[in-house]
């Protein structure tokens, strides 16, 4: 039965990818550009307009993918979908080990309603492998408590994808050392000696050391990732005060369904914590560490976005599953209370069914436009007049910064050969100009504000000649 379920889920995802053909997002496309530079023996060039945060392990991953050449984008998408399935399987194993198979199965079903997580997978975003590494580190720890090396290795790899995992590694190391200072706690698993605890410290320290050293070597600034990410967050208006960030927690934790996941999920977690107590320790620790790093991100002036609350959001989905099915493993008064919560949860879900349907329609529409948008860039760049012009016309003028890495990767161009029109203070006098058609909404599909848009990002430039068009894009040129 389990094999049939996972086969159906995987087959449905593969069929969707084949039918709709998703593409990486902005950050992932730049990782492909940097990965190709690394594969060629060059340092990645981070000094680009609206530079995304460089993630060392993800850049190494895309360097390997660059072996596939032009097919790397497709390979990356399929691998990301595979990681998404592996994440679901990891959550199943994690919840089954600590709670029950029924709650684990329902938790996976709840996660499958999360169109935001599915979108992260289809856009090849590093959040999916990041969550994978953390969830499987927890699975390994639950299977053999206080094992040490294997969970720290996975958390260390996660720390080369996102710095939030540094805190998790540190907390896990402290957890290993608790028995040394509190020997009477009778914690699960074997005791960890001081010598072994000291030998594990490099696994905690290496990820931040590697990240900072690479920033120093490549960008000549040990804090480059932090500073550049903060600057971009400010430019895009993603910085929030601490109070504003706290106010956004319920919506961000809920993901694509904030009411059910945040409200029902929180109530389910409270009930599970009350009834299961120590069995919920690891899941609650995950949620609290995610909240802590989110608040630190806000205080640090970085982007306050949903992706930085993915760990608490994941745990909230498990809470929804427990709210619906936790009563099955209880007796007496706790069972009656849990049944009441399950009934109330079903009512809330029933009321929210139209919202679920709307979210699915929105996801379908966005995925269709994303596919058309990026497939349109691929086809317009290979159209005969444009392909000929691309060999002699410079620079290539992209309408926004988001199209820059796509063009650079497809045509294998240097950074000064592709320019975002939004970064120019005046209209260009020559080059290849790429414009969006009316089929794509140029505002809703990009993070560029009305203020940043200028006439030369929307309308053909003076004395530029029409070259080609498709449903999504038009190209003008003046060589």
């Amino acid at each position: 039965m389990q094999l049939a379920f996972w086969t159906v889920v995987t087959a449905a995802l593969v069929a969707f990818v084949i039918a709709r053909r998703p593409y990486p997002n902005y950050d992932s496309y730049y990782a492909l550009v940097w990965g190709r530079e690394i594969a060629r023996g060059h340092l990645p060039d981070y000094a680009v307009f609206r530079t995304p945060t460089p993630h060392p392990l993800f850049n190494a991953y895309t360097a390997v993918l660059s072996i596939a050449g032009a097919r790397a984008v497709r390979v990356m998408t399929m691998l990301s979908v595979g990681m998404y399935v592996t994440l679901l399987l990891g959550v199943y194993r994690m919840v089954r080990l600590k709670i029950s198979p029924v709650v684990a199965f329902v938790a996976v079903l709840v996660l499958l309603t999360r169109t935001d997580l599915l979108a992260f997978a289809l856009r090849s975003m590093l959040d999916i492998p990041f969550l994978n590494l953390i969830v499987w580190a927890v699975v390994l720890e639950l299977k053999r408590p206080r094992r040490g090396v294997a969970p720290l290795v996975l958390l260390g790899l996660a720390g080369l994808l996102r710095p939030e995992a540094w805190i998790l590694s540190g907390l896990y190391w402290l957890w290993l050392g608790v028995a040394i200072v509190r020997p009477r706690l009778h914690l699960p698993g074997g005791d960890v000696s001081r010598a072994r605890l000291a030998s594990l410290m490099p696994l905690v320290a290496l990820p931040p050391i590697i990240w900072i050293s690479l920033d120093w070597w490549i960008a000549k600034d040990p804090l480059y990732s932090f500073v550049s990410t903060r600057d971009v967050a400010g430019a895009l208006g993603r910085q929030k005060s601490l109070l504003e960030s706290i106010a956004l927690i319920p919506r961000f934790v809920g993901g694509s369904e904030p009411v059910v996941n945040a409200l029902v999920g929180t109530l389910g977690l409270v009930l599970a914590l009350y009834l299961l107590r120590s069995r919920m320790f690891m899941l609650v620790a995950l949620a609290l560490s995610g909240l802590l790093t989110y608040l630190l991100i806000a205080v640090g002036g970085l982007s306050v976005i949903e992706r930085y609350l993915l760990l608490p959001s994941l745990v909230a989905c498990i809470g929804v599953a427990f709210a619906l099915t936790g009563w099955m493993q209880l007796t007496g008064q706790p069972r009656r209370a849990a049944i009441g919560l399950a009934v109330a949860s079903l009512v809330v879900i029933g009321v929210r069914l139209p919202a679920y349907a709307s979210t699915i329609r929105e996801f379908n529409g966005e995925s269709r436009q994303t596919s058309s948008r990026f497939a349109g860039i691929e086809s317009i760049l290979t159209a005969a007049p444009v392909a000929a012009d691309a060999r002699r016309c410079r620079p290539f003028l992209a309408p926004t910064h988001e199209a820059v890495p796509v063009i650079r990767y497809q045509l294998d161009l240097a950074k000064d050969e592709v320019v975002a029109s939004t970064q120019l203070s005046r209209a260009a006098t020559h080059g290849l100009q790429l414009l969006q058609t009316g089929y794509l909404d140029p505002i809703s599909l990009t993070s560029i504000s009305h203020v940043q848009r200028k006439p030369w990002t929307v309308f053909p430039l003076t004395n530029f000649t029409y070259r080609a068009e498709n449903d999504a894009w038009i190209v003008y040129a003046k060589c």
Side-chain angles (χ1 to χ4, degrees), residues 19-250:
R20 188 54 57 83
R21 189 165 187 183
Y23 288 82
N25 77 331
Y26 177 73
D27 292 35
S28 299
Y29 253 113
Y30 250 119
L32 284 169
V33 171
W34 290 334
R36 184 165 56 190
E37 291 173 346
I38 294 169
R40 291 174 175 173
H42 306 297
L43 291 178
D45 188 348
Y46 296 158
V48 296
F49 180 65
R50 296 284 188 265
T51 179
T53 305
H55 304 88
L57 184 58
F58 206 58
N59 288 349
Y61 166 65
T62 55
V64 175
L65 290 183
S66 68
I67 298 171
R71 294 186 297 275
V73 171
R74 196 66 168 160
V75 173
M76 189 182 201
T77 301
M78 297 306 296
L79 288 175
S80 182
V81 169
M83 293 177 195
Y84 174 72
V85 175
T86 307
L87 173 63
L88 295 177
L89 183 59
V91 171
Y92 176 81
R93 293 288 300 277
M94 179 174 68
V95 179
R96 178 171 180 159
L97 284 167
K98 290 309 288 183
I99 306 178
S100 76
V102 174
V103 177
F105 179 72
V106 176
V108 171
L109 295 181
V110 174
L111 284 172
L112 285 172
T113 68
R114 291 282 302 270
T115 55
D116 55 336
L117 280 180
L118 180 55
F120 291 163
L122 296 176
R123 300 303 307 276
S124 301
M125 295 169 66
L126 62 83
D127 304 87
I128 299 301
F130 172 76
L131 288 175
N132 244 313
L133 290 165
I134 292 174
V135 166
W136 281 100
V138 174
V139 170
L140 291 177
E141 173 64 15
L142 294 178
K143 289 180 70 175
R144 199 180 86 200
R146 305 162 70 74
R147 70 163 69 200
V149 174
L152 277 176
V153 168
L154 293 184
L155 292 175
L157 292 173
L160 293 174
L161 288 175
R162 287 200 352 209
E164 298 100 289
W166 300 351
I167 293 178
L168 282 173
S169 293
L171 290 175
Y172 179 66
W173 185 81
L174 291 174
W175 160 249
L176 294 176
V178 165
I180 295 174
V181 294
R182 291 286 187 272
R184 297 181 181 179
L185 289 179
H186 303 295
L187 297 172
D191 291 337
V192 179
S193 67
R194 294 178 185 274
R196 184 160 182 264
L197 193 64
S199 70
L200 294 174
M201 189 61 200
L203 293 176
V204 179
L206 272 176
I209 290 173
I210 290 172
W211 195 310
I212 292 171
S213 299
L214 286 173
D215 274 2
W216 202 344
W217 182 32
I218 296 169
K220 314 306 179 191
D221 180 359
L223 298 179
Y224 172 79
S225 292
F226 171 76
V227 173
S228 66
T229 303
R230 184 183 59 191
D231 291 345
V232 171
L236 297 179
R238 292 176 175 171
Q239 293 172 328
K240 306 288 182 184
S241 70
L242 182 59
L243 290 178
E244 288 174 321
S245 303
I246 293 172
L248 288 170
I249 288 176

Side-chain angles (χ1 to χ4, degrees), residues 6 14 84 100-101 162 164 174 176 203 209 230 276 291 296 299 311 322 330 333 341 356 389 395 400 413 416 444:
W6 292 110
V14 170
Y84 174 72
S100 76
R162 287 200 352 209
E164 298 100 289
L174 291 174
L176 294 176
L203 293 176
I209 290 173
R230 184 183 59 191
L276 305 179
L291 285 171
L296 290 175
V299 171
L311 278 177
F322 192 86
L330 304 174
Q333 185 62 36
L341 177 59
Y356 276 104
D389 291 338
T400 74
L413 298 177
D416 58 348
S444 68

Side-chain angles (χ1 to χ4, degrees), residues 6-16:
W6 292 110
T7 301
V8 169
V9 169
T10 305
L13 289 170
V14 170
F16 184 88

